[in-house]
Amino acid sequence: MMGDLDGETARLSAAGPFARIDLLGVPAWSVTSHTVARRLLTDARLVKDLNQWGLWQQGIVTRAWPLIGMVDVPPSMFTADGAEHRRLRVKIAQALTARRVEDLRPVIEGYVDRLLDDMEAELAKSENGVLDLKPVFAGPLPMAVVCTLMGVPESEIPRQMKLWKAFFSLLTPQDERLAVMMEVNTVFNEMVREKKAAPGDDLTSALILADEGGEPMSQEEIAGNLQSMIAAGHETTIGLILNATRGLLTHPDQLRLVLDGEIGWDAVIEEALRWDPPITHLLMRFATEDIEVPEADGFVIGKGEGVVMSYRAIGRDTDLHGEDANGFDIRRATAKKHITFGHGPHICPGAALSRLEAAVALPALFARFPEMALAVPSEELRKLPVMTQNDLEAFPVRLR
Ligand code: PLO
């Protein structure tokens, strides 16, 4: 299911708005239609609460399932529904303000410049002018930014990189994955205790302080929110930067338009989000009762069944984006209608930050290395062995 991503997306879309899928031995519905997804993402009968999942109730899905880390996780805004979700989410809205995001611009610019300088230095030493863009640029940037935002010390970064890599990879033995999840949980609970004692000028402290007055969050919930933010805040943005770069390098005519200033970077970013989203499938929601879906010819999701949002297929919905939906086209009028950041109450709270990172990183990268080209044919770029995320193993480029 993972090697050939375009094939997988095409097969899912061909199956209709709901495709029956097998998630490593576990059956679920995959939603591939933009309209149906939008409709379901605001339907209160479809919930995140794992206890509503029939296969979980019956003990068929257990902690031995390799994708358990997407559903059986500490309580947070990612797992909560309804009023509980609003209680947790409102604190994030108070802490992750537009202002706090914009304040990160100089920080992002600083990291980007430093990474580009390091790349120049590497390049001077290299014989063939080829570098892997992932470990030197796209990989480190988002983790550095999200750690600055959250007040996670720089010394913690290598461990976080290692833990999340193991968390997502299907090659990680399950006992190790469960140990990783426990370690992550311990680290963030510990961090909440420390920041409570000595708050700083960071999002973690803002979350703790936002708690004074209003309905409180438990320490577990604050720690749960932090985990979801660091996971979502680095893996996905790596994918955005690489996939956008891939789109441009494989479409030189479009790259020309951007470099000549005829089309803005925002159009590149939105089309990349639609065409090759950092998230392939979002697990998972469960039906609290039978749900009839008029937008899908009256299809019925059975009570207790699991539903996956297949954002890559949704981005290529021909009903919305036209028959050439598989193509990368920064002039596409419908591009910004994509729902790659989700829709409804759980819509990504980090969307603005992610867009800002890409909007700083991409122009700076192409300005510094205007002759950059893929060092291998695009078809040879290999995806990481991860079911839910769309991130590459490596991204070799010839810089000069
Ligand atoms: C990671 C484990 C945490 O304990 C809970 C969690 C919350 C948010 C999830 C994240 C996990 C995995 C990556 C996800 C993120 C939300 C968005 C992000 C799915 C399960 C994406 C789009 O990749």
Side-chain angles (χ1 to χ4, degrees):
M1 183 160 174
M2 265 170 350
D4 171 23
L5 190 55
D6 284 339
E8 174 194 296
T9 304
R11 280 194 300 281
L12 287 177
S13 299
F18 287 92
R20 192 71 177 156
I21 52 169
D22 170 25
L23 296 167
L24 306 169
V26 170
W29 294 112
S30 149
V31 176
T32 66
S33 144
H34 177 92
T35 309
V36 171
R38 277 181 66 102
R39 155 70 209 285
L40 291 176
L41 287 168
T42 51
D43 192 321
R45 297 170 298 174
L46 204 58
V47 300
K48 296 284 202 118
D49 178 8
L50 177 60
N51 296 313
Q52 300 298 322
W53 195 8
L55 297 174
W56 179 255
Q57 293 165 355
Q58 294 153 29
I60 294 169
V61 171
T62 66
R63 299 273 294 170
W65 186 44
L67 295 171
I68 199 68
M70 303 305 279
V71 289
D72 189 21
V73 290
S76 74
M77 57 186 167
F78 185 69
T79 60
D81 299 293
E84 279 289 279
H85 174 252
R86 281 191 294 280
R87 175 175 62 85
L88 299 175
R89 181 67 191 244
V90 77
K91 313 283 186 182
I92 303 293
Q94 285 164 6
L96 187 56
T97 55
R99 172 70 198 280
R100 192 178 283 275
V101 171
E102 191 48 41
D103 282 352
L104 282 167
R105 184 187 290 275
V107 173
I108 299 170
E109 287 169 349
Y111 282 130
V112 165
D113 283 344
R114 215 196 308 158
L115 291 167
L116 291 171
D117 290 347
D118 292 350
M119 284 168 67
E120 297 244 33
E122 275 289 302
L123 195 57
K125 286 185 273 166
S126 102
E127 290 189 351
N128 56 3
V130 173
L131 282 188
D132 179 355
L133 198 61
K134 187 163 177 193
V136 299
F137 189 72
L141 178 69
M143 182 59 102
V145 173
V146 78
C147 284
T148 305
L149 170 71
M150 291 169 55
V152 174
E154 223 175 294
S155 57
E156 174 64 26
I157 289 181
R159 169 161 68 166
Q160 288 296 317
M161 289 292 248
K162 200 172 121 251
L163 287 172
W164 290 107
K165 187 171 180 222
F167 171 86
F168 285 114
S169 174
L170 291 177
L171 301 181
T172 303
Q174 189 64 1
D175 53 344
E176 193 184 321
R177 187 185 333 276
L178 296 177
V180 161
M181 290 166 67
M182 264 176 59
E183 185 174 345
V184 165
N185 201 30
T186 307
V187 170
F188 285 100
N189 270 283
E190 185 58 33
M191 196 172 117
V192 175
R193 275 193 293 272
E194 278 168 20
K195 294 276 180 192
K196 251 185 192 151
D201 179 21
D202 53 55
L203 187 102
T204 305
S205 306
L207 268 184
I208 293 168
L209 296 173
D211 220 28
E212 292 167 357
E215 286 178 71
M217 290 187 283
S218 68
Q219 176 178 303
E220 264 276 285
E221 288 168 336
I222 299 177
N225 276 348
L226 294 176
Q227 285 169 59
S228 48
M229 279 190 276
I230 198 162
H234 85 281
E235 232 304 312
T236 47
T237 308
I238 298 174
L240 172 56
I241 293 171
L242 291 181
N243 298 344
T245 304
R246 182 186 199 165
L248 289 174
L249 294 182
T250 51
H251 298 81
D253 50 325
Q254 297 186 42
L255 176 57
R256 195 69 269 147
L257 292 175
V258 181
L259 296 182
D260 289 348
E262 293 192 25
I263 295 194
W265 285 97
D266 52 334
V268 174
I269 293 167
E270 298 313 312
E271 175 65 353
L273 284 163
R274 177 202 73 81
W275 174 68
D276 205 13
I279 174 135
T280 319
H281 308 288
L282 191 120
L283 272 55
M284 194 188 279
R285 288 175 170 80
F286 313 103
T288 55
E289 55 185 83
D290 287 354
I291 301 173
E292 196 191 321
V293 186
E295 293 84 350
D297 294 329
F299 178 90
V300 176
I301 306 168
K303 177 178 178 182
E305 290 185 323
V307 178
V308 167
M309 293 296 153
S310 293
Y311 284 110
R312 198 168 190 276
I314 291 168
R316 294 181 181 214
D317 184 335
T318 49
D319 287 349
L320 175 63
H321 300 292
E323 285 309 316
D324 72 335
N326 282 328
F328 178 79
D329 183 358
I330 58 176
R331 287 152 296 201
R332 186 184 300 281
T334 58
K336 56 183 184 301
K337 293 199 168 157
H338 72 76
I339 54 165
T340 293
F341 287 115
H343 176 69
H346 286 274
I347 191 167
C348 177
L353 176 57
S354 153
R355 286 180 163 120
L356 177 61
E357 287 179 48
V360 171
L362 292 169
L365 174 67
F366 280 92
R368 185 78 70 106
F369 301 110
E371 291 156 42
M372 178 167 64
L374 275 171
V376 297
S378 176
E379 312 77 61
E380 281 175 26
L381 294 175
R382 295 252 316 276
K383 195 182 171 296
L384 281 182
V386 176
M387 165 92 51
T388 53
Q389 318 296 120
N390 182 14
D391 185 7
L392 297 164
E393 197 95 57
F395 197 95
V397 284
R398 187 172 312 281
L399 291 174
R400 251 160 222 164

